[in-house]
């Protein structure tokens, strides 16, 4: 079946550090891939997306590249800020399924 | 423009009871999906409603049921509550005709209802 595996958290970084959160997936066909972010007390927000192999999604300094050969979609940011502290979820949508499959989430804490 | 609103924000029930959670979609949206997010886990798809009918369902027992009203708002009902039903329940809305390039980018999530079953 379809599944998403994220690196275990929590992740604690100092401000301006480099961030990588690993995400790998298992899916039939060619899924679309997403990163969502959940700030405390808020709903999930779409951070970035990629819909086909080699696509790079980017937003707010975050990037992720759809790697079909390694079935991965790792999230990166060159310099994190305290305001980036949140829980990050990797997710996939198999084409036409109209539903998302999420990873377990990775909690990021950025200290000043 | 109001986003997706859910009520109540928190709820405490005891085992065996029944609960109803409510969701108002983002203005202009006609499709509502429900997800269950257990502590430390990612959200899991429960079901989706469109045109007042359940269009698709995840791997949840029949104790979980729903409804969509003509104004597109939706309810999630859970009967015979179990301790394991304790979770954050998220509602997400979207517009049917905007599903090009993937649903995931078209979903707007509410802040959720935190259900505790004692």
């Amino acid at each position: 079946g379809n599944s998403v595996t994220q690196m275990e958290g929590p992740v604690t970084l100092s401000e301006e550090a480099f961030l990588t959160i690993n995400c790998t997936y298992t899916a039939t066909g060619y899924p679309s891939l997403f990163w969502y972010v959940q700030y405390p007390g808020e709903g999930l927000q779409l951070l970035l997306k990629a819909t086909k192999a080699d696509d790079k999604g980017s937003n707010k300094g975050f990037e992720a590249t759809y790697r079909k050969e390694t079935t991965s979609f790792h999230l990166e940011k060159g310099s994190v800020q305290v305001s980036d502290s949140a829980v990050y979820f990797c997710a996939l949508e198999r084409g036409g399924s109209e539903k998302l499959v999420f990873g377990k989430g990775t909690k990021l804490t950025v200290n000043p | 423009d109001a986003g997706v609103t859910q009520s109540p924000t928190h709820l405490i029930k005891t085992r065996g009871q029944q609960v109803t959670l409510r969701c108002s979609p983002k203005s202009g949206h006609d499709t509502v999906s429900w997800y269950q997010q257990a502590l430390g886990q990612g959200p899991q798809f429960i079901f989706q409603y469109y045109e007042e009918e359940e269009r698709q369902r995840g791997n949840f027992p029949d104790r979980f049921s729903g409804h969509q009203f003509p104004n597109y708002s939706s309810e999630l009902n859970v009967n015979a509550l179990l301790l394991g039903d304790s979770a954050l329940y998220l509602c997400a809305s979207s517009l049917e005709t905007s599903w090009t390039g993937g649903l995931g980018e078209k979903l707007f999530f509410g802040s959720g209802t935190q259900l505790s079953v004692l």
Side-chain angles (χ1 to χ4, degrees), chain A residues 87-107:
Chain A
V87 181
Y88 292 81
F89 292 92
C90 185
L92 70 82
E93 179 193 353
R94 188 173 57 81
S97 71
E98 302 171 7
K99 63 182 179 183
L100 294 173
V101 176
F102 287 89
K104 291 185 177 182
T106 303
K107 183 177 182 180

Side-chain angles (χ1 to χ4, degrees), chain B residues 93-115:
Chain B
S93 72
S94 55
L95 179 63
E96 164 75 8
T97 56
S98 69
W99 289 350
T100 57
L103 170 66
E105 63 180 304
K106 303 297 191 299
L107 278 181
F108 287 78
F109 283 85
S111 300
T113 294
Q114 184 65 55
L115 172 64

Side-chain angles (χ1 to χ4, degrees), chain A residues 3-65:
Chain A
S3 66
V4 174
T5 302
Q6 283 182 240
M7 63 182 283
E8 294 288 327
V11 174
T12 302
L13 296 173
S14 297
E15 206 165 22
E16 300 184 2
F18 184 84
L19 169 71
T20 299
I21 301 178
N22 291 336
C23 171
T24 57
Y25 68 90
T26 301
T28 54
Y30 301 93
S32 295
L33 301 174
F34 307 89
W35 277 100
Y36 277 82
V37 58
Q38 188 175 37
Y39 298 102
E42 299 184 17
L44 294 168
Q45 301 174 26
L46 178 65
L47 181 59
L48 54 84
K49 67 174 177 68
T51 57
K52 62 183 186 295
D54 299 326
D55 267 3
K56 177 185 283 188
S58 61
N59 186 26
K60 299 180 181 179
F62 291 89
E63 294 183 340
T65 301

